[in-house]
Amino acid sequence: MAEVVAARLRGAGVERVYGVPGLALDPLIRALEVPRSVPTRAGVPWFAQARGEESAALMACADAKLTGRLGCCLAPPGAGVLRLLGGLYDAAADRTPVLALVGGADGDLALRHLAEVSVFCEPVSRPEQLPDALRRAVRAALTERGVAGLVVPREVLTATAPDEPADDGALAPAPVRRPDERVLRRAADVLDEGRRPAVVVGNAGRAASAGAAGVAALLGAGVAVTALARDALPDDLPYQTGVAGPLGSAAAATLLRECDTLLLVGAEDLDPGMLRDRARCRAVVVEPEEAPRGMAVPDGFPADATVRVSGDPSTALEALIPLLRRTTDRAWRAHVEDLVRTWRAEGRTRAGRYFGTSVNPRSVVAELSERLPDRAVVVTDSGTALDWWTRHLRLRNGMRSLLSGHLGLPGAAVPYAVAAKFAAPERPVIALVGDGAFQGGGLNELITVRRHLGLLGELPPLVFCVLNNGDLNRLTWQRRAAARDPLLPLSAEVPAMPYADWARLAGLPAVRCDRPRHVASVWADVLTRPGPVLLEFVVDGEIPPDWAAATASAAVA
């Protein structure tokens, strides 16, 4: 039965299974490929052992986000399930399809928690039940975009497979339904009547990004993206205002505040706080049929001024575009582009400032942005690393970004980056992580990187960029903002750690930079090297994020 499961996972599109070994699941691990070099792409997925169950679930989540296929992780029963939950909640919060295979039997107390985070959770007690249960679990994870849990005892995995017709586990694609023509015409009327239109592309609408750009071109609209859809549209578009979120781009916040017509494309992950007090704004919401009702509803919008278009976002926009009129008044578009230019220029100015001899963390991301290799994947963690990623990173076409969105799980960046490299070995991968988050789990997963050095050593670079400021800096600036006191001392100290030395001790190349004038040359050198490297920047913790600086300015005023 373990061999049947391995083959059917591959048939369902799973190429890697992340997990931690245990007696209960050893039969399945033996049925998977365990690579010693580059995986041979056999008829079964290969097993990537993580240092902990939470990391395994995060890796499965990142794999699914990057590839668009089903992620898969496994864990032994009992405490292993509990440790798996942190990463599974990340997948659930960001609506990412992940299959969790858990050893044990019905009655395990930890399984109650697995059920709480899952759209599907079922124990299997007999071998003949397993093929059908696996098929339904895969279907639930993919169609409902969430976690599916399957509890499989060892005795089921070691049993002889029952005779039954072969099944590769693949799902027939769901039929694409064209939205209702009358609804499309109402949506077109709303958008055509707007004088200051805005388009927001969310995670569920990333496949429709070309259509969103087409609508924006016709209407002369400004565009924003959610954090999870950071890479949906390139940053070099002059009307792309950046990430819309409470701690996102000031240009995007202004766009949403001043617009009178709003097109939300798969933006179920948009923070509703960005759309408050919009009683005179009209909205068109394009959402997948499986989207949770209410997540993309603009709070405060009048019900009679909101048109919902349900269906595949790409198909919906393709049908909507011919119904729209091209506007000849480009004053609003010119205003949006001016907002973007001003915001970008201000960012360049702030990235160029230095105080004393410490490295400005803004410059670390700004200099990286200037040198990003084509098709790079940039991963970020929670904390101020996320602020610099939002503010100073400029992604081009073909680049990808990954983060733990709704959960904002500290320490997710390193497991994410490792999984991204396994899933797309030909792409350069760069992880931006603060020292607090790095101590929260990233250090351990460098051992995973070291274990696969033979696989990774000659591939394009895998860079772990650690911003070392000796502080949980996001928390400190939140406290300062709450107290309206930018001089409040560092309040969330992180124990000092020589990160570059630790990486070298683990057998990995490492570079440490503590001089502002060396930031650009260090990036230029590191990004030309193959294989993994840890890059430690000693940065100034007194550099405030934009949102904290704005709070301080308001307090002074």
Side-chain angles (χ1 to χ4, degrees):
M1 284 310 303
E3 293 171 359
V4 170
V5 171
R8 293 198 174 188
L9 287 175
R10 187 57 184 267
V14 175
E15 295 187 356
R16 290 156 297 279
V17 176
Y18 304 93
V20 175
L23 290 176
L25 290 172
D26 278 352
L28 177 55
I29 294 173
R30 282 197 297 269
L32 301 171
E33 182 185 2
V34 181
R36 298 301 177 190
S37 58
V38 176
T40 59
R41 304 294 183 188
V44 296
W46 58 277
F47 176 65
Q49 181 181 346
R51 309 275 65 78
E53 290 87 353
E54 181 180 81
S55 288
L58 289 171
M59 290 176 180
C61 182
D63 195 307
K65 287 179 177 179
L66 184 62
T67 65
R69 296 191 295 268
L70 178 68
C72 186
C73 58
L74 55 81
V81 181
L82 292 175
R83 287 192 287 262
L84 195 71
L85 290 176
L88 293 182
Y89 271 106
D90 179 57
D94 289 346
R95 303 197 68 219
T96 304
V98 169
L99 174 65
L101 299 173
V102 174
D106 193 16
D108 187 335
L109 293 178
L111 300 182
R112 292 183 305 177
H113 301 288
L114 179 62
E116 289 174 0
V117 75
S118 303
V119 297
F120 175 98
C121 186
E122 186 169 296
V124 176
S125 58
R126 297 194 306 275
E128 58 270 20
Q129 295 175 335
L130 184 52
D132 180 63
L134 181 59
R135 185 184 305 110
R136 289 184 288 115
V138 169
R139 182 178 297 276
L142 290 173
T143 58
E144 299 185 47
R145 293 166 53 211
V147 175
L150 209 56
V151 184
V152 188
R154 179 186 173 93
E155 55 269 24
V156 170
L157 291 172
T158 56
T160 301
D163 293 331
E164 61 174 29
D167 181 356
D168 64 3
L171 290 178
V176 176
R177 185 177 65 82
R178 182 182 174 90
D180 184 272
E181 188 71 23
R182 290 171 299 176
V183 175
L184 285 173
R185 291 193 176 278
R186 286 177 52 215
D189 290 342
V190 168
L191 295 174
D192 282 336
E193 291 169 7
R195 299 176 62 85
R196 300 187 304 276
V199 179
V200 178
V201 180
N203 192 41
R206 62 167 56 251
S209 57
V215 172
L218 286 171
L219 301 179
V223 174
V225 294
T226 63
L228 285 171
R230 174 76 167 80
D231 52 7
L233 290 166
D235 287 309
D236 52 12
L237 294 175
Y239 55 87
Q240 214 276 64
T241 61
V243 175
L247 305 179
S249 156
T254 302
L255 173 73
L256 296 186
R257 186 171 61 249
E258 295 183 355
C259 71
D260 65 1
T261 310
L262 184 61
L263 171 62
L264 299 175
V265 182
E268 61 191 35
D269 53 323
L270 178 65
D271 189 298
M274 299 299 297
L275 303 175
R276 289 177 183 156
D277 304 323
R278 303 313 317 273
R280 289 185 297 276
C281 189
R282 306 179 76 187
V284 173
V285 180
V286 179
E287 57 188 0
E289 291 178 290
E290 74 275 11
R293 279 285 174 178
M295 287 190 69
V297 177
D299 291 338
F301 281 60
D304 58 353
T306 301
V307 179
R308 284 186 173 279
V309 181
S310 180
D312 174 66
S314 296
T315 303
L317 293 189
E318 184 180 336
L320 180 62
I321 286 175
L323 304 177
L324 297 173
R325 296 193 302 268
R326 177 178 291 274
T327 183
T328 57
D329 183 357
R330 294 283 153 167
W332 169 247
R333 169 62 73 83
H335 172 63
V336 171
E337 292 182 0
D338 186 56
L339 282 175
V340 174
R341 280 193 297 271
T342 301
W343 182 66
R344 296 276 184 208
E346 183 183 82
R348 288 192 294 270
T349 299
R350 292 185 177 185
R353 293 172 180 164
Y354 297 95
F355 303 91
T357 59
S358 296
V359 172
N360 182 345
R362 294 175 180 271
S363 73
V364 172
V365 181
E367 295 291 352
L368 164 66
S369 190
E370 293 294 321
R371 294 162 179 80
L372 271 178
D374 290 342
R375 302 188 73 244
V377 180
V378 185
V379 185
T380 192
D381 219 304
S382 58
T384 48
L386 177 61
D387 296 306
W388 317 137
W389 170 90
T390 300
R391 183 63 165 95
H392 298 284
L393 189 70
R394 298 190 69 172
L395 298 175
R396 305 189 301 275
N397 263 329
M399 295 181 177
R400 293 296 309 273
S401 65
L402 293 174
L403 80 160
S404 171
H406 286 89
L407 193 59
L409 187 65
V414 175
Y416 264 43
V418 174
K421 196 61 181 178
F422 286 157
E426 75 287 353
R427 286 178 177 261
V429 177
I430 301 99
L432 302 172
V433 55
D435 48 359
F438 195 58
Q439 289 188 16
L443 282 167
N444 288 340
E445 290 309 321
L446 289 188
I447 302 172
T448 302
V449 177
R450 177 64 181 85
R451 183 180 185 184
H452 293 282
L453 198 55
L455 185 158
L456 303 172
E458 299 304 318
L459 294 174
L462 168 59
V463 183
F464 300 98
C465 173
V466 181
L467 302 175
N468 181 3
N469 54 30
D471 182 59
L472 296 177
N473 211 229
R474 169 69 74 85
L475 178 58
T476 289
W477 282 109
Q478 285 174 334
R479 288 171 174 166
R480 288 176 165 181
R484 292 187 175 273
D485 181 4
L487 300 180
L488 191 73
L490 297 177
S491 53
E493 183 179 355
V494 172
M497 175 77 181
Y499 301 102
D501 290 344
W502 194 98
R504 295 187 191 105
L505 185 63
L508 298 175
V511 177
R512 185 177 187 270
C513 177
D514 59 3
R515 300 295 177 88
R517 67 177 182 272
H518 293 161
V519 173
S521 60
V522 165
W523 272 124
D525 175 54
V526 163
L527 292 173
T528 59
R529 299 183 185 183
V533 61
L534 184 136
L535 177 53
E536 177 187 358
F537 284 103
V538 182
V539 298
D540 187 352
E542 294 292 335
I543 303 291
D546 285 3
W547 52 268
T551 302
S553 298
V556 171

PDB file of all heavy atoms in Angstrom, residues 366-386:
ATOM      1  N   ALA A 366      17.479  47.577  -1.558  1.00  0.00           N
ATOM      2  CA  ALA A 366      17.558  48.422  -2.757  1.00  0.00           C
ATOM      3  C   ALA A 366      18.705  47.985  -3.667  1.00  0.00           C
ATOM      4  O   ALA A 366      18.549  47.909  -4.892  1.00  0.00           O
ATOM      5  CB  ALA A 366      17.721  49.882  -2.349  1.00  0.00           C
ATOM      6  N   GLU A 367      19.863  47.683  -3.079  1.00  0.00           N
ATOM      7  CA  GLU A 367      21.006  47.239  -3.887  1.00  0.00           C
ATOM      8  C   GLU A 367      20.764  45.846  -4.459  1.00  0.00           C
ATOM      9  O   GLU A 367      21.172  45.544  -5.584  1.00  0.00           O
ATOM     10  CB  GLU A 367      22.285  47.249  -3.037  1.00  0.00           C
ATOM     11  CG  GLU A 367      22.736  48.622  -2.575  1.00  0.00           C
ATOM     12  CD  GLU A 367      23.237  49.495  -3.728  1.00  0.00           C
ATOM     13  OE1 GLU A 367      23.369  48.992  -4.861  1.00  0.00           O
ATOM     14  OE2 GLU A 367      23.499  50.688  -3.493  1.00  0.00           O
ATOM     15  N   LEU A 368      20.089  44.979  -3.695  1.00  0.00           N
ATOM     16  CA  LEU A 368      19.701  43.675  -4.242  1.00  0.00           C
ATOM     17  C   LEU A 368      18.788  43.865  -5.445  1.00  0.00           C
ATOM     18  O   LEU A 368      18.953  43.201  -6.481  1.00  0.00           O
ATOM     19  CB  LEU A 368      18.998  42.848  -3.161  1.00  0.00           C
ATOM     20  CG  LEU A 368      18.204  41.625  -3.660  1.00  0.00           C
ATOM     21  CD1 LEU A 368      19.149  40.586  -4.260  1.00  0.00           C
ATOM     22  CD2 LEU A 368      17.379  41.016  -2.530  1.00  0.00           C
ATOM     23  N   SER A 369      17.827  44.757  -5.312  1.00  0.00           N
ATOM     24  CA  SER A 369      16.850  44.975  -6.371  1.00  0.00           C
ATOM     25  C   SER A 369      17.527  45.380  -7.670  1.00  0.00           C
ATOM     26  O   SER A 369      17.108  44.963  -8.762  1.00  0.00           O
ATOM     27  CB  SER A 369      15.853  46.046  -5.930  1.00  0.00           C
ATOM     28  OG  SER A 369      14.770  46.131  -6.810  1.00  0.00           O
ATOM     29  N   GLU A 370      18.587  46.173  -7.584  1.00  0.00           N
ATOM     30  CA  GLU A 370      19.306  46.610  -8.778  1.00  0.00           C
ATOM     31  C   GLU A 370      20.024  45.461  -9.474  1.00  0.00           C
ATOM     32  O   GLU A 370      20.341  45.549 -10.661  1.00  0.00           O
ATOM     33  CB  GLU A 370      20.326  47.689  -8.400  1.00  0.00           C
ATOM     34  CG  GLU A 370      19.722  49.001  -7.925  1.00  0.00           C
ATOM     35  CD  GLU A 370      18.953  49.699  -9.036  1.00  0.00           C
ATOM     36  OE1 GLU A 370      19.422  49.671 -10.189  1.00  0.00           O
ATOM     37  OE2 GLU A 370      17.876  50.257  -8.753  1.00  0.00           O
ATOM     38  N   ARG A 371      20.282  44.367  -8.731  1.00  0.00           N
ATOM     39  CA  ARG A 371      21.120  43.281  -9.257  1.00  0.00           C
ATOM     40  C   ARG A 371      20.400  41.940  -9.323  1.00  0.00           C
ATOM     41  O   ARG A 371      21.038  40.909  -9.525  1.00  0.00           O
ATOM     42  CB  ARG A 371      22.371  43.139  -8.360  1.00  0.00           C
ATOM     43  CG  ARG A 371      23.266  44.357  -8.435  1.00  0.00           C
ATOM     44  CD  ARG A 371      24.242  44.435  -7.281  1.00  0.00           C
ATOM     45  NE  ARG A 371      25.079  45.610  -7.445  1.00  0.00           N
ATOM     46  CZ  ARG A 371      24.676  46.856  -7.116  1.00  0.00           C
ATOM     47  NH1 ARG A 371      23.473  47.050  -6.598  1.00  0.00           N
ATOM     48  NH2 ARG A 371      25.484  47.876  -7.306  1.00  0.00           N
ATOM     49  N   LEU A 372      19.094  41.934  -9.156  1.00  0.00           N
ATOM     50  CA  LEU A 372      18.365  40.666  -9.145  1.00  0.00           C
ATOM     51  C   LEU A 372      18.557  39.919 -10.462  1.00  0.00           C
ATOM     52  O   LEU A 372      18.306  40.468 -11.534  1.00  0.00           O
ATOM     53  CB  LEU A 372      16.875  40.918  -8.922  1.00  0.00           C
ATOM     54  CG  LEU A 372      16.380  40.965  -7.491  1.00  0.00           C
ATOM     55  CD1 LEU A 372      14.891  41.284  -7.466  1.00  0.00           C
ATOM     56  CD2 LEU A 372      16.641  39.649  -6.762  1.00  0.00           C
ATOM     57  N   PRO A 373      18.959  38.663 -10.410  1.00  0.00           N
ATOM     58  CA  PRO A 373      19.068  37.888 -11.645  1.00  0.00           C
ATOM     59  C   PRO A 373      17.682  37.625 -12.227  1.00  0.00           C
ATOM     60  O   PRO A 373      16.671  37.624 -11.520  1.00  0.00           O
ATOM     61  CB  PRO A 373      19.729  36.570 -11.186  1.00  0.00           C
ATOM     62  CG  PRO A 373      20.249  36.827  -9.806  1.00  0.00           C
ATOM     63  CD  PRO A 373      19.393  37.906  -9.223  1.00  0.00           C
ATOM     64  N   ASP A 374      17.635  37.399 -13.520  1.00  0.00           N
ATOM     65  CA  ASP A 374      16.376  37.057 -14.174  1.00  0.00           C
ATOM     66  C   ASP A 374      15.774  35.814 -13.530  1.00  0.00           C
ATOM     67  O   ASP A 374      16.478  34.893 -13.129  1.00  0.00           O
ATOM     68  CB  ASP A 374      16.605  36.797 -15.667  1.00  0.00           C
ATOM     69  CG  ASP A 374      16.935  38.061 -16.433  1.00  0.00           C
ATOM     70  OD1 ASP A 374      16.660  39.158 -15.916  1.00  0.00           O
ATOM     71  OD2 ASP A 374      17.498  37.946 -17.546  1.00  0.00           O
ATOM     72  N   ARG A 375      14.445  35.799 -13.421  1.00  0.00           N
ATOM     73  CA  ARG A 375      13.661  34.659 -12.921  1.00  0.00           C
ATOM     74  C   ARG A 375      13.978  34.334 -11.457  1.00  0.00           C
ATOM     75  O   ARG A 375      13.761  33.220 -11.002  1.00  0.00           O
ATOM     76  CB  ARG A 375      13.858  33.426 -13.800  1.00  0.00           C
ATOM     77  CG  ARG A 375      13.491  33.639 -15.258  1.00  0.00           C
ATOM     78  CD  ARG A 375      13.507  32.365 -16.070  1.00  0.00           C
ATOM     79  NE  ARG A 375      12.359  31.531 -15.735  1.00  0.00           N
ATOM     80  CZ  ARG A 375      12.452  30.333 -15.183  1.00  0.00           C
ATOM     81  NH1 ARG A 375      13.618  29.824 -14.867  1.00  0.00           N
ATOM     82  NH2 ARG A 375      11.370  29.639 -14.926  1.00  0.00           N
ATOM     83  N   ALA A 376      14.492  35.305 -10.731  1.00  0.00           N
ATOM     84  CA  ALA A 376      14.787  35.072  -9.317  1.00  0.00           C
ATOM     85  C   ALA A 376      13.515  34.874  -8.517  1.00  0.00           C
ATOM     86  O   ALA A 376      12.445  35.385  -8.867  1.00  0.00           O
ATOM     87  CB  ALA A 376      15.585  36.252  -8.746  1.00  0.00           C
ATOM     88  N   VAL A 377      13.640  34.129  -7.425  1.00  0.00           N
ATOM     89  CA  VAL A 377      12.571  33.978  -6.433  1.00  0.00           C
ATOM     90  C   VAL A 377      13.047  34.671  -5.169  1.00  0.00           C
ATOM     91  O   VAL A 377      14.108  34.325  -4.629  1.00  0.00           O
ATOM     92  CB  VAL A 377      12.271  32.501  -6.133  1.00  0.00           C
ATOM     93  CG1 VAL A 377      11.158  32.379  -5.089  1.00  0.00           C
ATOM     94  CG2 VAL A 377      11.899  31.743  -7.398  1.00  0.00           C
ATOM     95  N   VAL A 378      12.294  35.655  -4.697  1.00  0.00           N
ATOM     96  CA  VAL A 378      12.669  36.394  -3.493  1.00  0.00           C
ATOM     97  C   VAL A 378      11.670  36.053  -2.389  1.00  0.00           C
ATOM     98  O   VAL A 378      10.465  36.266  -2.539  1.00  0.00           O
ATOM     99  CB  VAL A 378      12.702  37.910  -3.733  1.00  0.00           C
ATOM    100  CG1 VAL A 378      13.207  38.625  -2.483  1.00  0.00           C
ATOM    101  CG2 VAL A 378      13.592  38.244  -4.923  1.00  0.00           C
ATOM    102  N   VAL A 379      12.197  35.510  -1.304  1.00  0.00           N
ATOM    103  CA  VAL A 379      11.383  35.080  -0.166  1.00  0.00           C
ATOM    104  C   VAL A 379      11.610  36.049   0.974  1.00  0.00           C
ATOM    105  O   VAL A 379      12.745  36.495   1.193  1.00  0.00           O
ATOM    106  CB  VAL A 379      11.782  33.651   0.269  1.00  0.00           C
ATOM    107  CG1 VAL A 379      10.867  33.151   1.381  1.00  0.00           C
ATOM    108  CG2 VAL A 379      11.758  32.694  -0.904  1.00  0.00           C
ATOM    109  N   THR A 380      10.560  36.376   1.702  1.00  0.00           N
ATOM    110  CA  THR A 380      10.748  37.254   2.853  1.00  0.00           C
ATOM    111  C   THR A 380      10.050  36.696   4.071  1.00  0.00           C
ATOM    112  O   THR A 380       9.174  35.839   3.979  1.00  0.00           O
ATOM    113  CB  THR A 380      10.229  38.672   2.569  1.00  0.00           C
ATOM    114  OG1 THR A 380      10.676  39.564   3.600  1.00  0.00           O
ATOM    115  CG2 THR A 380       8.717  38.709   2.527  1.00  0.00           C
ATOM    116  N   ASP A 381      10.477  37.175   5.229  1.00  0.00           N
ATOM    117  CA  ASP A 381       9.916  36.748   6.498  1.00  0.00           C
ATOM    118  C   ASP A 381       9.078  37.882   7.076  1.00  0.00           C
ATOM    119  O   ASP A 381       9.005  38.973   6.508  1.00  0.00           O
ATOM    120  CB  ASP A 381      11.046  36.374   7.463  1.00  0.00           C
ATOM    121  CG  ASP A 381      10.711  35.146   8.297  1.00  0.00           C
ATOM    122  OD1 ASP A 381       9.671  35.173   8.976  1.00  0.00           O
ATOM    123  OD2 ASP A 381      11.462  34.174   8.242  1.00  0.00           O
ATOM    124  N   SER A 382       8.439  37.617   8.189  1.00  0.00           N
ATOM    125  CA  SER A 382       7.762  38.694   8.905  1.00  0.00           C
ATOM    126  C   SER A 382       8.824  39.585   9.549  1.00  0.00           C
ATOM    127  O   SER A 382      10.013  39.284   9.528  1.00  0.00           O
ATOM    128  CB  SER A 382       6.822  38.110   9.969  1.00  0.00           C
ATOM    129  OG  SER A 382       7.555  37.304  10.867  1.00  0.00           O
ATOM    130  N   GLY A 383       8.408  40.688  10.144  1.00  0.00           N
ATOM    131  CA  GLY A 383       9.375  41.623  10.703  1.00  0.00           C
ATOM    132  C   GLY A 383       9.687  42.728   9.717  1.00  0.00           C
ATOM    133  O   GLY A 383       9.072  42.861   8.654  1.00  0.00           O
ATOM    134  N   THR A 384      10.697  43.543  10.052  1.00  0.00           N
ATOM    135  CA  THR A 384      11.018  44.666   9.175  1.00  0.00           C
ATOM    136  C   THR A 384      11.600  44.209   7.839  1.00  0.00           C
ATOM    137  O   THR A 384      11.591  44.986   6.881  1.00  0.00           O
ATOM    138  CB  THR A 384      11.997  45.636   9.861  1.00  0.00           C
ATOM    139  OG1 THR A 384      13.077  44.889  10.439  1.00  0.00           O
ATOM    140  CG2 THR A 384      11.302  46.437  10.949  1.00  0.00           C
ATOM    141  N   ALA A 385      12.073  42.955   7.739  1.00  0.00           N
ATOM    142  CA  ALA A 385      12.482  42.437   6.429  1.00  0.00           C
ATOM    143  C   ALA A 385      11.321  42.548   5.440  1.00  0.00           C
ATOM    144  O   ALA A 385      11.522  42.849   4.261  1.00  0.00           O
ATOM    145  CB  ALA A 385      12.954  40.989   6.556  1.00  0.00           C
ATOM    146  N   LEU A 386      10.108  42.325   5.932  1.00  0.00           N
ATOM    147  CA  LEU A 386       8.918  42.450   5.088  1.00  0.00           C
ATOM    148  C   LEU A 386       8.699  43.898   4.658  1.00  0.00           C
ATOM    149  O   LEU A 386       8.286  44.175   3.526  1.00  0.00           O
ATOM    150  CB  LEU A 386       7.690  41.931   5.848  1.00  0.00           C
ATOM    151  CG  LEU A 386       6.340  42.041   5.157  1.00  0.00           C
ATOM    152  CD1 LEU A 386       6.327  41.257   3.862  1.00  0.00           C
ATOM    153  CD2 LEU A 386       5.224  41.553   6.086  1.00  0.00           C
TER     154      LEU A 386
END
